[in-house]
């Protein structure tokens, strides 16, 4: 398709700053790649003077391939993306494509003597925090979830350049968070390690403190193009500004209406900040949507117009046809799942369909439901393996103790699952002698916890002589773990069957082994353990199955499908229950806007009257999407 007038104007931009406000489906990748070719062919810009920065390896790959197709292989290229962080940097005469992290690490590697083994691995981060939890006596229901939340907040603090007074943590108590943050920072310095956020912070420091280094890169890259500019963090923005301040040939492409990564430190206001930093910047508005039908585009515009902190846009659909938006109101999650399974079974040929959820947990539950129905679907995300679930970790801690483990971490994990009212403060050493602890408790007058510990010791002795299947059943019924799970589900207002499915699957798998030792040995031999029934590697999934996709709304960004089904569009889900401020609600609306505009032809929206035994109300976003023009075709 030929470039439209506004696309052509953006492509032909030469010198100075430019901001391209690119609505969904408006051809931003086409504009970027054509603009690179135009710089080279029309203005004789040397390819090695051009830097293109993306956010993901996939985007870098796509950008590079599109550019190669345009250039017909006549230009040499230097590409940096994803795994290239771990490789050696090689000079070549060509356009440089890279993610923020790969570009930053390239600079650090060249001027700070970093190597790939200086990058801290996720496993090392998690091990460090687990040891910190033990030292600081941190108790968590699901230790792995808490670790992920804390690491995510560490990253946000660095990306936002936030001080202790500016940032209020939500993963854990404030004093504990900042102590862990300080210890983590000291650990990285001591071991000469960097995480991904350090790459950004240290690159900014390198460029601001060493003028010769900044001058080198400014001379190296005279023309800088940044994709998905609305997602840049304050640190990334500072680096981009420094790199471009000499020539001021900065070309950014983004859509503040698609800024959905506030939890990473990004904010839609960065698009407005760009105009303040570069007041002479040309602004181009790509407001023709070449992806979606008219009803979808009109509905999306009605929805997003309810946000205030944004650039005003006049979106219009190139395709004036298309189907009306379909809305289904179901009485339960089960009815919604059955409808989705039936709908997906009718997908044929080259048609693509995606089911979008607000949360990972709902996506995984739906994926497993579809697998049981024989619907083959790809999951855009990482499916947790059975033995990575916190419930499996609890059960295996019991099994390990029964097999002779004296590790304090094993005892702490199951100490009050079910509730025994035994304080973790009794467990001060790295190893546990449960018999000696009972004696010490009694001598010090702690009769009640001593009795509870005696009961635990009795359970452990009985477990040691059982088969794996019988042992899991004993933990569930005799020890009382099933009761504990029921009470936990009630407290969290969650459907307990979700947790019992994990227990049932774990117990079923245990039945394949003759003894506890055999079971534990099999798990130690392989990190694979037991597959959840769904492939985690999208490359291993057949091409046919890729017609049907399951992913969260966040992961759907940048993708498009013929048909999109959005599940559980209810208050408390989308917008998320924790979204309370106007700023948070606007981000939730942007997220729903992104989900809606993934659909090319058919958009199906579902809500439920009851979710996990809790009554639900339709999302406020439905009325906004429907608008005065009543774009919905109700299927209630």
């Amino acid at each position: 398709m030929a470039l439209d007038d506004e696309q052509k104007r953006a492509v032909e931009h030469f010198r100075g700053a430019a901001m391209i406000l690119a609505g969904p489906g408006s051809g931003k990748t086409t504009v970027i790649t054509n603009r690179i070719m135009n710089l080279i062919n029309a203005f004789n810009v040397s390819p090695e003077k051009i830097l293109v920065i993306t956010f993901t390896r996939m985007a870098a790959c796509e950008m590079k391939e599109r550019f190669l197709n345009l250039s017909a292989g006549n230009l040499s290229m230097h590409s940096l993306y994803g795994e290239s962080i771990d490789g050696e940097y090689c000079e070549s005469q060509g356009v440089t494509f890279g993610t923020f992290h790969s570009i930053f690490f390239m600079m650090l590697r060249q001027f700070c003597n970093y190597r790939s083994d200086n990058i801290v691995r996720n496993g090392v981060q998690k091990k460090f925090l687990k040891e910190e939890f033990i030292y600081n006596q941190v108790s968590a229901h699901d230790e792995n979830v808490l670790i992920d939340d804390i690491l995510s907040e560490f990253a946000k603090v660095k990306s936002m350049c936030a001080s202790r007074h500016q940032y209020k943590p939500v993963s854990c108590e404030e004093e504990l968070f900042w102590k862990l943050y300080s210890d983590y920072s000291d650990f990285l310095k001591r071991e000469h390690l960097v995480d991904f956020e350090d790459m950004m912070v240290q690159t900014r420091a390198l460029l601001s403190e060493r003028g010769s280094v900044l001058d080198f890169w400014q001379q190296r890259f005279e023309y800088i193009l940044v994709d998905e500019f609305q997602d840049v963090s304050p640190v990334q923005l500072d680096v981009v500004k420094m790199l471009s301040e000499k020539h001021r040939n900065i070309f950014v492409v983004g859509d503040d209406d698609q800024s959905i990564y506030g939890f990473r430190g990004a904010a839609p206001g960065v698009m407005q900040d760009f105009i303040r930093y570069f007041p002479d910047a040309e602004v181009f508005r790509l407001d023709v949507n070449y992806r979606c039908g008219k009803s979808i585009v009109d509905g999306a515009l009605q929805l997003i117009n309810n946000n205030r902190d944004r650039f005003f846009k006049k979106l219009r659909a190139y395709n004036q046809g298309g189907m009306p938006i379909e809305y289904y109101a179901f009485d339960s999650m089960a009815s919604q799942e059955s409808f989705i399974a039936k709908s997906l079974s009718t997908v044929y040929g080259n048609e693509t369909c995606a089911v979008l959820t607000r949360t990972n947990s709902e996506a995984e539950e739906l994926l497993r439901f579809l697998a049981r129905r024989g619907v083959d679907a790809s999951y855009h995300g990482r499916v947790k393996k059975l033995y990575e679930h916190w419930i499996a970790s609890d059960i295996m801690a019991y099994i390990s103790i029964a097999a002779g483990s004296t590790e304090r971490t094993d005892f702490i994990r199951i100490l009050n699952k079910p509730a025994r009212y035994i304080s973790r403060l009794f467990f001060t050493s790295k190893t546990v002698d449960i018999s000696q602890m009972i004696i010490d408790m009694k001598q010090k007058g702690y009769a009640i916890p001593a009795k509870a510990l005696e009961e635990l010791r009795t359970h452990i002795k009985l477990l040691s002589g059982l088969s794996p299947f019988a042992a899991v059943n004993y933990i569930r019924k005799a020890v009382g773990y099933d009761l504990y799970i029921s009470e936990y589900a009630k407290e969290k207002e969650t459907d307990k069957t979700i947790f019992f499915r994990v227990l049932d699957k774990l117990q079923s798998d245990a039945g394949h082994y003759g003894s506890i030792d055999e079971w534990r040995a099999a798990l130690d031999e392989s990190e694979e353990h037991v597959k959840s029934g769904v492939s985690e590697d999208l490359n291993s999934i057949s091409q046919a199955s890729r017609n049907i996709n399951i992913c969260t709304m966040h992961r759907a960004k940048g993708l498009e499908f013929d048909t999109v089904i959005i599940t559980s569009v209810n208050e408390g889900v989308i917008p998320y229950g924790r979204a309370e401020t106007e700023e948070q609600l606007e981000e939730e609306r942007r997220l729903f806007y992104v989900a809606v505009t993934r659909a090319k032809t058919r958009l199906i929206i579902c809500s439920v009257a009851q979710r996990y035994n809790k009554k639900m109300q339709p999302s406020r976003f439905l009325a906004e999407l429907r608008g005065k023009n009543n774009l919905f075709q109700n299927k209630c």
Side-chain angles (χ1 to χ4, degrees):
M1 183 181 294
L3 299 175
D4 64 34
D5 291 343
E6 194 70 358
Q7 289 176 332
K8 188 176 181 181
R9 286 184 60 232
V11 165
E12 293 175 349
H13 174 80
F14 180 32
R15 292 193 183 278
M19 181 174 71
I20 289 74
L21 293 170
S26 61
K28 67 181 181 66
T29 302
T30 297
V31 167
I32 292 173
T33 52
N34 276 273
R35 197 245 175 173
I36 298 170
M37 286 300 303
N38 199 62
L39 286 174
I40 297 169
N41 294 334
F43 299 110
N44 297 315
V45 174
S46 297
E48 68 270 15
K49 294 291 186 181
I50 302 172
L51 170 65
V52 184
I53 307 177
T54 67
F55 270 83
T56 66
R57 181 176 183 269
M58 182 178 72
C61 288
E62 180 187 1
M63 202 79 71
K64 183 192 74 170
E65 293 303 320
R66 294 273 287 272
F67 177 67
L68 279 173
N69 289 336
L70 279 177
S71 62
N74 293 325
L75 296 171
S76 64
M77 299 181 62
H78 173 54
S79 299
L80 290 166
Y81 45 88
E83 290 124 351
S84 64
I85 287 177
D86 296 330
E88 293 299 322
Y89 173 68
C90 300
E91 292 287 348
S92 69
Q93 300 299 309
V95 177
T96 299
F97 288 81
T99 63
F100 270 104
H101 288 124
S102 63
I103 296 296
F104 290 178
F105 194 68
M106 172 187 69
M107 296 177 178
L108 293 175
R109 183 165 47 192
Q110 186 160 342
F111 289 94
C112 299
N113 298 317
Y114 277 115
R115 302 185 307 273
S116 60
D117 55 8
N118 293 121
I119 302 171
V120 64
R121 305 302 173 185
N122 187 247
V124 174
Q125 293 174 307
K126 290 186 174 183
K127 181 181 178 183
F128 171 80
L129 283 179
K130 285 183 178 181
E131 292 173 352
E132 285 283 302
F133 288 175
I134 294 173
Y135 181 79
N136 292 283
Q137 298 184 348
V138 176
S139 178
H141 176 77
D142 188 344
E143 191 176 76
N144 289 326
V145 170
L146 178 59
I147 288 173
D148 288 342
D149 289 345
I150 289 174
L151 288 174
S152 178
E153 288 205 83
F154 283 178
K156 187 173 183 178
V157 168
K158 293 181 182 182
S159 295
M160 295 175 63
C161 318
S163 68
R164 180 166 185 163
H165 303 293
Q166 295 171 317
Y167 185 81
K168 300 299 179 185
V170 296
S171 58
C172 60
E173 190 269 331
E174 187 171 350
E175 184 175 348
L176 172 63
F177 176 84
W178 289 111
K179 183 182 186 307
L180 293 174
Y181 183 82
S182 176
D183 291 347
Y184 174 69
S185 299
D186 291 342
F187 165 73
L188 293 180
K189 291 177 183 177
R190 185 170 63 250
E191 300 296 327
H192 195 52
L193 296 171
V194 291
D195 59 23
F196 286 111
E197 285 63 43
D198 287 328
M199 292 180 195
M200 297 186 291
V201 174
Q202 292 189 25
T203 301
R204 183 181 64 172
L206 174 67
L207 297 179
S208 61
E209 295 169 6
R210 296 175 60 180
S212 60
V213 176
L214 176 60
D215 183 66
F216 174 86
W217 291 113
Q218 287 176 339
Q219 295 292 348
R220 173 76 167 82
F221 299 123
E222 292 186 16
Y223 293 85
I224 300 174
L225 298 86
V226 183
D227 189 23
E228 303 287 6
F229 188 73
Q230 76 280 346
D231 294 330
V232 300
S233 68
V235 176
Q236 292 167 334
L237 177 61
D238 286 346
V239 174
V240 168
K241 285 163 54 183
M242 283 190 283
L243 289 175
S244 61
E245 64 184 355
K246 183 179 183 69
H247 302 287
R248 298 182 70 81
N249 296 322
I250 176 74
F251 186 93
V252 302
V253 182
D255 181 6
D256 53 342
D257 288 335
Q258 296 185 69
S259 177
I260 58 174
Y261 297 117
F263 59 90
R264 296 179 185 169
V270 72
M271 303 291 289
Q272 297 170 10
D273 290 341
F274 182 83
I275 299 300
R276 287 192 285 271
Y277 296 137
F278 300 95
D280 57 341
E282 286 193 68
V283 178
F284 303 93
R285 297 174 184 269
L286 307 184
D287 52 13
V288 179
N289 183 303
Y290 292 96
R291 175 191 301 151
C292 313
K294 187 177 187 305
S295 293
I296 297 171
V297 173
D298 290 349
L301 184 60
Q302 291 175 162
L303 169 75
I304 204 62
N305 276 342
N306 287 275
N307 275 5
R308 300 175 183 175
D309 184 19
R310 60 188 291 266
F311 280 99
F312 178 76
K313 304 175 188 70
K314 292 182 179 180
L315 294 178
R316 61 187 188 277
Y318 179 79
N319 175 15
Q320 291 297 303
M323 304 170 65
I325 300 171
E326 300 174 40
Y327 172 58
Y328 294 80
F330 297 102
D331 58 357
S332 66
M333 294 284 286
S335 298
Q336 178 179 253
E337 288 176 336
S338 295
F339 165 77
I340 291 171
K342 183 178 180 180
S343 298
L344 295 180
S345 66
T346 63
V347 176
Y348 298 110
N350 294 322
E351 181 186 0
T352 58
C353 180
V355 184
L356 308 185
T357 67
R358 176 61 180 84
T359 64
N360 281 305
S361 59
E362 184 172 349
E364 290 183 19
E365 278 298 303
L366 180 59
L367 195 63
R368 292 186 174 96
F369 172 82
L370 294 174
R372 292 193 296 271
R373 287 291 195 93
V375 179
D376 188 17
S378 296
Y379 179 52
H380 293 252
R382 181 177 180 273
V383 180
K384 286 184 179 179
K385 299 169 187 174
L386 175 61
Y387 285 83
E388 290 179 340
H389 198 286
W390 60 266
I391 288 177
S393 297
D394 288 351
I395 298 299
M396 294 314 297
Y398 271 108
I399 297 298
S400 294
I401 294 171
S405 171
T406 60
E407 291 293 321
R408 176 180 182 267
T409 51
D410 285 334
F411 280 91
I412 292 296
R413 182 163 197 99
I414 55 89
L415 196 57
N416 288 297
K417 298 178 181 180
R420 298 185 178 94
Y421 307 102
I422 303 175
S423 172
R424 62 190 292 133
L425 297 178
F426 287 114
F427 296 77
T428 56
S429 61
K430 288 186 177 181
T431 58
V432 174
D433 184 335
I434 192 169
S435 296
Q436 186 60 48
M437 284 188 65
I438 292 170
I439 294 172
D440 293 342
M441 284 181 178
K442 288 181 177 179
Q443 289 178 345
K444 294 177 181 179
Y446 297 112
I448 295 177
K451 182 179 179 181
L453 205 55
E454 283 183 325
E455 291 177 354
L456 177 58
R457 181 176 62 179
T458 300
H459 286 313
I460 289 169
K461 286 182 179 179
L462 289 169
L463 279 172
S464 63
L466 298 176
S467 68
F469 182 90
V472 176
N473 191 61
Y474 185 87
I475 294 167
R476 297 181 64 177
K477 309 302 181 185
V479 176
Y481 193 82
D482 274 10
L483 179 60
Y484 160 73
I485 286 297
S486 295
E487 291 173 347
Y488 172 77
K490 184 177 181 181
E491 175 190 342
K492 298 295 183 180
E493 297 183 338
T494 303
D495 186 359
K496 64 183 180 182
T497 59
I498 295 174
F499 303 124
F500 283 137
R501 286 173 190 165
V502 177
L503 283 164
D504 291 342
K505 189 177 294 186
L506 185 69
Q507 188 169 353
S508 174
D509 185 61
H512 292 105
Y513 303 95
S515 68
I516 286 178
D517 286 342
E518 181 187 344
W519 188 20
R520 294 179 74 235
L523 300 186
D524 290 339
E525 284 177 6
S526 172
E527 293 182 355
E528 292 301 311
H529 298 336
V530 176
K531 298 296 183 183
S532 63
V534 186
S535 174
E536 292 181 45
D537 183 3
L538 292 180
N539 292 324
S540 70
I541 300 174
S542 66
Q543 185 64 40
S545 71
R546 297 188 188 207
N547 290 2
I548 299 175
N549 302 266
I550 312 295
C551 62
T552 63
M553 297 178 185
H554 279 100
R555 287 189 178 273
K557 188 168 179 288
L559 304 177
E560 61 180 38
F561 308 93
D562 295 313
T563 297
V564 167
I565 303 173
I566 307 178
T567 68
S568 303
V569 184
N570 291 91
E571 288 293 311
V573 180
I574 179 74
Y576 203 49
R578 295 177 184 174
E580 298 175 349
T581 67
E582 188 62 31
E583 181 181 357
Q584 291 169 332
L585 287 171
E586 290 209 351
E587 176 149 332
E588 289 291 300
R589 187 177 284 111
R590 291 194 295 271
L591 180 59
F592 189 52
Y593 172 79
V594 166
V596 165
T597 53
R598 299 310 94 194
K600 295 165 66 176
T601 305
R602 188 182 183 195
L603 175 62
I604 301 172
I605 295 176
C606 307
S607 68
V608 293
Q610 188 169 328
R611 189 171 185 264
Y612 303 142
N613 298 318
K614 181 180 179 181
K615 290 184 178 180
M616 306 294 292
Q617 295 296 322
S619 170
R620 70 193 74 180
F621 296 158
L622 291 175
E624 297 173 1
L625 185 68
R626 180 188 290 113
K628 296 179 180 179
N629 298 328
N630 194 23
L631 296 172
F632 280 12
Q633 186 180 78
N634 288 324
K635 300 284 187 175
C636 306

